[in-house]
Amino acid sequence: MLELFKAELKRVWIEFTRYPVDAIAGIIVITSVFYGLFLSARYIAGPNLQFGDRLDGIVVGYVLATLVIFVVTSIVSVLQIEAQTGTLEQVLLTPFGVSRVFLVRAIASLMLNLTLVIGILLIILLLTGRQLYFPPSLILPLITVILGAYGLAFMMAALALLFKRIQQLLGLTQFALLFLLTVPTETWSGALWVVRLLLPMTMGAGILRDLMARNLSLNGFDLSLALLNGLAYLALGLFLFRRAEVAAKRRGILGGY
């Protein structure tokens, strides 16, 4: 497994160094979209606009959504590229297993994605003049969000494996993720609290907003629920991907991309 991780990490780095323009363009586009929305809101509200910690919470949610979108699209796009170039069959024959290969590949690419997202966050804070808190404890809820992101990524990859082209669905998913991770679900109560518990990554995102935007202390109970949510979605995603792999082999559709 260590050799596999080293190989995938090397592959990710080689691809990044050969095509750095895509990464730079992505950073520019993502930060420009947020800054454009920020300027529009400030213009509409006038000079007396007071964001308070709401803007900080939106910044955290927007950056989290960017990270999750990176994770989801990277796994799905790599799978589709492998299928189109005819190398997916070779991945399926590896002794490591296709699920393990794509999971290790996702972990290797996570390091690059985190670096890009941190750069986006710093640029947004610079442009908006906002300040966030960065306690060491934020690592824990961030892990729960990443687990849920991997689970969702493998669900989408399962659909890509069976139905080949899911670009439109992937686009709709990105908008749903942006809504899901920027809405302050930590303020929900009653029946909505149960909904929040079932939705992917919302618990972890709410904890991160409390830590980074409001400088609150870490809630151990909420963190435990967020961890269970992330692990459940990861297990479900890997299960569905494995089932899709078996179904694709049985139907003989892997070579028909």
Side-chain angles (χ1 to χ4, degrees):
M1 283 295 294
L2 183 59
E3 293 299 322
L4 176 62
F5 177 74
K6 289 181 179 179
E8 290 297 335
L9 193 61
K10 182 179 179 180
R11 183 189 63 82
V12 169
W13 176 250
I14 290 174
E15 288 184 352
F16 174 73
T17 53
R18 287 183 178 177
Y19 309 102
V21 176
D22 287 341
I24 296 173
I27 292 175
I28 294 174
V29 169
I30 292 170
T31 52
S32 298
V33 169
F34 183 87
Y35 191 56
L37 294 174
F38 169 73
L39 292 178
S40 299
R42 190 166 65 176
Y43 174 76
I44 293 173
N48 295 324
L49 176 64
Q50 297 294 330
F51 286 109
D53 61 13
R54 293 182 180 180
L55 178 59
D56 299 336
I58 292 175
V59 170
V60 174
Y62 184 82
V63 173
L64 277 179
T66 301
L67 175 61
V68 173
I69 290 171
F70 279 170
V71 170
V72 173
T73 55
S74 63
I75 293 181
V76 175
S77 61
V78 166
L79 188 148
Q80 291 182 326
I81 291 173
E82 293 273 10
Q84 292 169 359
T85 56
T87 57
L88 181 58
E89 289 81 358
Q90 299 176 14
V91 177
L92 293 172
L93 296 175
T94 178
F96 294 104
V98 63
S99 299
R100 189 174 300 175
V101 169
F102 278 102
L103 181 60
V104 172
R105 185 171 294 180
I107 295 173
S109 64
L110 176 64
M111 297 184 179
L112 176 61
N113 290 333
L114 281 174
T115 303
L116 296 177
V117 166
I118 291 173
I120 291 172
L121 175 59
L122 293 178
I123 294 173
I124 289 177
L125 293 179
L126 181 64
L127 291 174
T128 58
R130 307 301 299 181
Q131 291 183 346
L132 296 176
Y133 301 94
F134 294 91
S137 57
L138 68 84
I139 299 297
L140 299 176
L142 179 61
I143 290 175
T144 68
V145 173
I146 292 174
L147 290 174
Y150 280 151
L152 184 60
F154 278 103
M155 292 180 197
M156 299 299 295
L159 293 175
L161 201 59
L162 293 175
F163 302 106
K164 304 178 182 180
R165 298 183 181 276
I166 60 167
Q167 281 81 359
Q168 297 300 323
L169 178 60
L170 195 59
L172 291 174
T173 303
Q174 293 177 8
F175 283 107
L177 287 171
L178 186 61
F179 173 79
L180 195 65
L181 295 174
T182 54
V183 171
T185 56
E186 63 273 16
T187 62
W188 292 0
S189 59
L192 288 178
W193 186 88
V194 179
V195 173
R196 177 198 177 201
L197 183 62
L198 297 177
L199 290 173
M201 299 168 288
T202 53
M203 291 289 295
I207 297 173
L208 282 170
R209 277 190 292 269
D210 285 339
L211 292 176
M212 301 178 67
R214 305 179 184 99
N215 196 25
L216 300 179
S217 58
L218 184 64
N219 187 311
F221 178 71
D222 286 349
L223 178 64
S224 300
L225 294 178
L227 180 59
L228 289 175
N229 180 279
L231 290 173
Y233 272 95
L234 177 61
L236 179 60
L238 290 173
F239 172 76
L240 293 177
F241 185 78
R242 178 58 182 167
R243 297 286 295 180
E245 176 195 349
V246 173
K249 288 180 178 178
R250 185 184 302 117
R251 292 158 56 182
I253 62 176
L254 292 178
Y257 277 76

